[in-house]
Structure formats: structure tokens, C-alpha cells
Amino acid sequence: MENRQALKLIEKIQKELFKDNFEVPEIVTDLKKLREISLELNNPVLTKALRLAYEHLENNNGFYIGIPDDEPVDVKDVENQANNSEENNIESLNYFLSLLTDLDKKNNMLDLKEYNKAFLAF
């Protein structure tokens, strides 16, 4: 996202995560603000990712989606395997947020799509 307000919100969340300050209501509020900003960008993948992320946080009181795999996986394996985490995965949430800072990178958009699939499969 090139919007300064959006980048500040992303940075704010990441700083709190770095300080081990994981406050779901605060993160959800910030993600909802980011989603409002994303609506202006007309990027449905981004908008959906933000909505699914804050819904996941609200429903589970944590972030239980792992970082998407880099390696191509057989399609049949993907259908049977969800990239879920047993514990609150702060590293994955931080990675998710970092993807939002440069949406022009093809791999960032691909990873956001993978996060969307994982959110829906959870």
C-alpha cells in the first residue's frame, strides 16, 4: 500500500507485535481501518485478506494461520493440507502485514491469496 496512513497503521501493529504486545481488539480495529483504506485501491484480494484476517482474529482470539510455503506443492496435497498453526503465530501475522507494504510484488499477492485460502479453510 502506498497510502501513508495505511503504512503507519501497519508499522504500528508490527511495533506492538515486536514488543510482544498482542492485543486482539486493537489489532482488529487497525485491520478494519486498513480495510477501509484498501477499498479505495480497488484490490479485491487485499480487501478480502484484511477482512478474513480480522474475522479470524476475532473468532479465535489469535492468529493460527502459518506462513505460506514457498515450494510448489502437488494440488491434491494442498486440498488435504491446511497451513494451520497450533499456537498463536505472531511471526505469520507479522509476515502477513509485511506483504501489505508492497502489493506490486507478484509473490506478495500470491501469498495473500494463499492466506485467503487458509483463512477460509480454517
Side-chain angles (χ1 to χ4, degrees):
M1 292 183 164
E2 294 179 11
N3 182 299
R4 290 179 81 173
Q5 184 181 6
L7 292 173
K8 283 183 180 183
L9 279 170
I10 293 167
E11 186 178 325
K12 175 188 169 212
I13 298 168
Q14 288 179 316
K15 281 182 180 178
E16 292 300 315
L17 293 176
F18 183 72
K19 293 190 281 186
D20 287 330
N21 186 12
F22 187 82
E23 296 293 328
V24 171
E26 190 174 317
I27 295 170
V28 167
T29 300
D30 289 341
L31 289 177
K32 286 181 178 181
K33 289 177 189 173
L34 280 172
R35 185 173 181 271
E36 289 174 19
I37 294 167
S38 77
L39 290 170
E40 299 169 10
L41 300 176
N42 200 24
N43 183 332
V45 172
L46 170 64
T47 303
K48 184 176 185 176
L50 289 166
R51 178 181 57 83
L52 291 173
Y54 71 68
E55 287 176 352
H56 177 81
L57 285 161
E58 285 177 322
N59 294 334
N60 301 291
N61 203 33
F63 197 83
Y64 297 98
I65 304 297
I67 295 174
D69 294 327
D70 285 339
E71 301 171 15
V73 182
D74 189 7
V75 175
K76 292 178 184 173
D77 291 339
V78 171
E79 291 172 1
N80 298 327
Q81 174 190 6
N83 195 12
N84 297 337
S85 187
E86 296 293 321
E87 297 177 357
N88 191 16
N89 196 332
I90 305 244
E91 181 183 355
S92 181
L93 176 56
N94 195 31
Y95 178 70
F96 173 81
L97 293 167
S98 71
L99 296 174
L100 307 177
T101 60
D102 190 356
L103 299 171
D104 292 331
K105 286 186 180 176
K106 180 182 173 187
N107 288 340
N108 287 6
M109 290 305 295
L110 291 173
D111 279 354
L112 279 179
K113 288 179 183 179
E114 290 302 313
Y115 270 107
N116 287 350
K117 290 178 191 174
F119 287 133
L120 292 171
F122 189 81

